[in-house]
Amino acid sequence: MKNPPCFSIVCFIVFFFSIGQIKADDNPFRLMSKNSFQRMDADIQTSHTDSVLFDSSFPYVEGFSISGHIVQRDENSFVRILLEDESEGCYTILESSQLYNEVDTFFFDCYCEETHTLLDVRPTKLKIYVNNAQVLISEMQFISGNKKVTRARKLTLSNEKAINKRRQMENIVERINSYNYKHKFIWRADTTSLALLPWDKRKKILGITNDGVDTGGIEYYAEGIFEMRSRIISDEEKDSIWNSELTSTLFVDEFDWRNRHGKNWMTSVKYQGATNACWAFSAVGVTEALVNLYYNRLINLDLSEQELVSCSRSTTNSSMVTGSYRNALNWIANNGIVDEGAFPFDYQNDTVPCSDMSNDYTELVSFDSTGRNSQMSVHPDTIKRYLIKYGPMSTNYRVNGSSGHAVVLTGFDKLKLGDGVIVSTREGRVENIISDPNDPRIGKTYWICKNSYGTNSYSDGYIKLFLPGYDGGRGMCFIRTPMTTLHYTNDSIICEDFDGDGYYNWGIGPKPVHCPSWVPDIPDGDDSDYTKGPMDEYGYLADIPSMISDSTIYITQDTEWGVRKYVYHNVYVNEGKTLRITNDVNFYRGVTLNLAAGSTLVVDGGSLTDVTINYTGTTGTLIQFLNNGSINHMSYQDFVVPLGVTLDFNYGKIE
């Protein structure tokens, strides 16, 4: 054993002895075995980060635990103790903070996390990471193993490991949710696929290069608004940004590219596996979304992250972690990116050569250029401006001192009274919401990001982040159109007035030259709401006063609708009066055309679309088709002609 200078080791005597079978209990963090295990006496005390080396003759082990206690001084206290093996792989023995163990002193006996069940592991080092805490390890315990484990034994150990790991995670999740409920952190923890991964893989995905980083429990995030406990910038900077945001009224409170013009413009959430290629998934996620937005249609391409991993990085370093979403986006702009089928993502090998990409690709997407803001800290209004103007962006969030995890920034919202989640705690299921109207977080911005951890029963694949003094502008990258693809051209851009308010939507970019001459130069801000017109640079939508009033239309004299129009209010044709349709007339969702007794509807070369025809009377009522007129009845409704109504159907169409 090595006596490092940062430790105060009064006595470190090693001795081995066997004990009988330990009585089983229901503690998944306690080392237990049907066989005997050995103990190692120790007196390690430290308030600093350091390590202890094991002798080269130390045996292979199938389990390893420690006993002692930790003094946690405040909410910033954190301890992670790892066991390193001869291949420099690390296994978590213990991790503690107020989030996981809300006590001033945490006592542990035969405690183990990932080291509860081990395969082919020979310990070489004990690594102890400490922040604002005091650690005392009084004893270590281990179960002897073999370098070569039989296949049957491996299968048994693997099954035991998976079962116990889930039990540990379920226990931790309950503790986190209880802590969050008590301290009003409004996010829900769950046994996520990320949390179930070993520490070595988990830290790679989170972009962590220092084993001493406190993740704040983000690997357990399932839903709600995660509040980062970050020390990236000073408290003074945070206060300055918070205070300025309180007085900022420039931008709308909420904006989300998953619900613009009544549509979700984001493509499906992908899964990066146990790799650190989040930067590639971020760049691809932005590109796929911009294809949808530029052509104003939900094309939803699936593009190749593997091309970016294999081709966009420096050839002198093959590790996925060396990539960046900025370089990846520049690669796409300069070289294009193929479809997933031509170069599928390899979750097992991070050194796939670029030459493995197939030439038989079905799509190749590129765009004009990229833009970025490289400021160390960006005011929330700056981020909002870029997001609204350019669409979803590549950005990252940092877990304390980590290198960062890349995501797709898709929207923002403000915390409101009643925001929160339902969580399961040790006390049962509780409603964890912002209930105090004086909560200082009310009115503060949180950010909505598309992640690359996949989707499942507990998560939609997005994360909401509440970040005081958010530095997400660091390297924030966006795409400048036009886009180019193999199958779509500028002529493919849809120019439409879906809600019929006279304003048109054509996606992101300048108005296409093929839009009809009557289309205004200013685009519609919300093409799913006929009462809303253009949107200003701050995300506010202009009201269309003529569309807001709820005015029923009464046909009190013979009337011809000879121009293309949308109808937003119910129409009543009075007795003895005629409504003649000679152009295209669209009825807004649920709007009805009501015919009184003795009234006449003539569809003369025009069309009625999405119309629902009701009858307030039937005697003497006439519906007549002339010159190939047509009625496109509202979906899932029958076209009914009751007794007393005459249908004069010489030449026309009913659908």
Side-chain angles (χ1 to χ4, degrees):
M1 297 286 180
K2 179 183 177 182
N3 185 355
C6 290
F7 281 87
S8 173
I9 302 181
V10 177
C11 180
F12 198 77
I13 303 174
V14 181
F15 63 98
F16 303 96
F17 63 96
S18 296
I19 63 175
Q21 181 175 337
I22 299 176
K23 183 180 179 181
D25 60 25
D26 198 36
N27 184 355
F29 299 95
R30 183 178 176 85
L31 183 67
M32 286 180 289
S33 173
K34 293 180 180 178
N35 305 314
S36 59
F37 67 71
Q38 296 172 299
R39 297 178 181 266
M40 229 171 31
D41 199 25
D43 186 8
I44 304 174
Q45 301 180 53
T46 182
S47 57
H48 305 283
T49 293
D50 217 312
S51 59
V52 174
L53 298 178
F54 290 96
D55 188 88
S56 58
S57 62
F58 202 94
Y60 283 83
V61 297
E62 289 185 357
F64 190 97
S65 63
I66 56 178
S67 298
H69 69 266
I70 296 170
V71 177
Q72 301 182 142
R73 294 170 181 155
D74 56 31
E75 67 274 8
N76 294 316
S77 296
F78 176 74
V79 173
R80 178 178 289 121
I81 303 175
L82 302 173
L83 185 70
E84 183 176 283
D85 66 11
E86 55 190 350
S87 63
E88 298 186 348
C90 286
Y91 308 86
T92 305
I93 305 173
L94 178 150
E95 186 173 316
S96 186
S97 67
Q98 293 283 352
L99 178 68
Y100 302 127
N101 304 293
E102 194 179 8
V103 291
D104 294 332
T105 304
F106 173 53
F107 292 92
F108 49 92
D109 181 42
C110 294
Y111 189 97
C112 50
E113 292 185 21
E114 291 177 357
T115 57
H116 181 276
T117 309
L118 297 169
L119 290 169
D120 303 330
V121 170
R122 189 180 72 80
T124 58
K125 187 184 296 184
L126 190 71
K127 302 169 74 173
I128 307 174
Y129 296 90
V130 183
N131 178 63
N132 202 34
Q134 178 77 29
V135 178
L136 185 145
I137 301 174
S138 58
E139 186 181 80
M140 305 179 193
Q141 306 85 25
F142 66 91
I143 301 170
S144 295
N146 298 300
K147 182 176 182 179
K148 293 184 179 180
V149 182
T150 65
R151 185 175 180 179
R153 180 63 177 156
K154 250 183 195 180
L155 182 60
T156 299
L157 289 174
S158 295
N159 290 336
E160 289 178 358
K161 185 173 184 177
I163 293 170
N164 198 71
K165 177 77 170 180
R166 179 167 288 276
R167 292 178 63 221
Q168 289 180 347
M169 296 299 100
E170 289 171 350
N171 184 288
I172 292 173
V173 162
E174 282 191 350
R175 283 183 268 156
I176 292 175
N177 284 333
S178 294
Y179 180 91
N180 286 345
Y181 178 67
K182 179 179 178 181
H183 295 278
K184 306 303 180 186
F185 292 104
I186 53 173
W187 64 276
R188 181 175 68 84
D190 209 328
T191 51
T192 67
S193 55
L194 179 58
L196 288 168
L197 290 175
W199 168 247
D200 271 354
K201 291 184 177 180
R202 203 186 321 161
K203 69 178 182 180
K204 180 189 289 188
I205 295 173
L206 291 171
I208 293 172
T209 55
N210 179 0
D211 284 322
V213 168
D214 176 8
T215 68
I218 198 167
E219 61 265 53
Y220 296 93
Y221 172 88
E223 64 173 333
I225 304 166
F226 188 87
E227 187 168 348
M228 299 287 279
R229 296 180 294 168
S230 174
R231 299 293 179 266
I232 299 169
I233 62 176
S234 68
D235 290 338
E236 290 76 13
E237 287 179 290
K238 290 177 186 176
D239 290 341
S240 174
I241 290 176
W242 272 30
N243 291 335
S244 64
E245 187 181 350
L246 282 175
T247 60
S248 170
T249 57
L250 292 178
F251 287 84
V252 290
D253 288 349
E254 58 183 298
F255 189 94
D256 191 344
W257 283 110
R258 294 177 300 169
N259 184 20
R260 300 300 305 156
H261 306 292
K263 299 176 182 178
N264 178 5
W265 299 95
M266 305 304 300
T267 56
S268 61
V269 174
K270 309 295 175 57
Y271 177 61
Q272 71 180 74
T275 72
N276 48 17
C278 56
W279 53 272
F281 284 82
S282 173
V284 165
V286 171
T287 304
E288 290 175 350
L290 263 292
V291 169
N292 286 344
L293 284 167
Y294 183 70
Y295 294 106
N296 195 26
R297 56 175 74 203
L298 300 182
I299 300 170
N300 289 333
L301 294 179
D302 186 5
L303 302 177
S304 172
E305 291 84 8
Q306 189 64 53
E307 177 180 349
L308 301 179
V309 170
S310 298
C311 307
S312 73
R313 299 166 297 127
S314 168
T315 56
T316 60
N317 193 325
S318 61
S319 172
M320 285 187 188
V321 78
T322 61
S324 76
Y325 49 76
R326 183 189 177 195
N327 290 342
L329 287 170
N330 284 333
W331 170 271
I332 298 172
N334 296 325
N335 303 277
I337 183 170
V338 300
D339 56 282
E340 176 73 9
F343 206 179
F345 190 72
D346 192 329
Y347 300 92
Q348 307 298 324
N349 183 5
D350 64 357
T351 58
V352 178
C354 187
S355 57
D356 279 8
M357 181 171 60
S358 171
N359 291 323
D360 187 23
Y361 47 81
T362 61
E363 189 55 275
L364 182 68
V365 175
S366 63
F367 46 80
D368 181 69
S369 61
T370 63
R372 69 187 295 259
N373 190 304
S374 58
Q375 290 178 283
M376 295 294 287
S377 186
V378 176
H379 191 284
D381 275 1
T382 303
I383 303 173
K384 294 173 184 178
R385 183 187 303 275
Y386 283 28
L387 185 66
I388 292 172
K389 181 176 181 179
Y390 295 108
M393 300 182 293
S394 281
T395 187
N396 73 332
Y397 60 80
R398 299 188 175 213
V399 181
N400 290 329
S402 71
S403 60
H405 174 65
V407 291
V408 180
L409 181 62
T410 64
F412 58 84
D413 203 342
K414 284 196 173 182
L415 283 165
K416 300 177 288 293
L417 191 68
D419 279 345
V421 292
I422 303 296
V423 299
S424 294
T425 69
R426 290 177 170 178
E427 295 76 29
R429 286 178 62 81
V430 294
E431 190 179 52
N432 186 16
I433 61 172
I434 295 181
S435 56
D436 181 0
N438 297 315
D439 192 310
R441 295 171 295 178
I442 293 176
K444 300 296 178 19
T445 297
Y446 64 85
W447 306 94
I448 303 166
C449 301
K450 178 184 176 182
N451 224 323
S452 49
Y453 298 155
T455 60
N456 40 52
S457 59
Y458 53 76
S459 173
D460 63 359
Y462 283 77
I463 183 170
K464 297 176 181 177
L465 297 165
F466 177 59
L467 305 167
Y470 177 42
D471 76 333
R474 185 195 300 265
M476 179 176 57
C477 289
F478 55 86
I479 286 175
R480 288 192 175 98
T481 58
M483 310 290 294
T484 59
T485 77
L486 289 182
H487 297 285
Y488 300 92
T489 67
N490 284 348
D491 290 337
S492 306
I493 298 173
I494 293 177
C495 181
E496 68 176 348
D497 181 11
F498 181 75
D499 58 8
D501 58 9
Y503 289 97
Y504 283 68
N505 174 39
W506 51 79
I508 283 185
K511 185 173 80 172
V513 295
H514 61 265
C515 284
S517 59
W518 61 80
V519 173
D521 292 334
I522 302 175
D524 198 347
D526 185 351
D527 205 30
S528 66
D529 186 345
Y530 65 86
T531 68
K532 302 297 182 183
M535 181 177 67
D536 65 19
E537 62 181 306
Y538 305 112
Y540 288 99
L541 298 167
D543 288 331
I544 304 178
S546 62
M547 300 293 190
I548 295 176
S549 62
D550 183 14
S551 303
T552 301
I553 301 171
Y554 293 96
I555 306 300
T556 58
Q557 59 184 3
D558 291 345
T559 302
E560 178 180 335
W561 284 352
V563 296
R564 182 177 182 270
K565 67 184 301 178
Y566 282 77
V567 178
Y568 303 95
H569 309 295
N570 293 335
V571 179
Y572 284 84
V573 183
N574 286 359
E575 182 178 357
K577 305 306 176 185
T578 297
L579 174 61
R580 184 178 297 272
I581 309 297
T582 59
N583 209 316
D584 298 330
V585 177
N586 288 265
F587 280 70
Y588 197 71
R589 312 171 188 123
V591 171
T592 60
L593 173 58
N594 301 274
L595 302 178
S599 64
T600 300
L601 171 65
V602 181
V603 188
D604 185 1
S607 66
L608 293 173
T609 301
D610 288 342
V611 65
T612 298
I613 298 179
N614 291 332
Y615 303 90
T616 60
T618 58
T619 304
T621 301
L622 170 65
I623 300 177
Q624 186 177 39
F625 287 80
L626 300 173
N627 300 315
N628 201 27
S630 67
I631 291 180
N632 183 352
H633 211 250
M634 194 69 181
S635 299
Y636 309 111
Q637 293 183 0
D638 294 329
F639 182 79
V640 178
V641 181
L643 290 174
V645 175
T646 300
L647 177 63
D648 185 358
F649 194 81
N650 293 321
Y651 186 53
K653 181 170 61 175
I654 299 175
E655 293 181 337

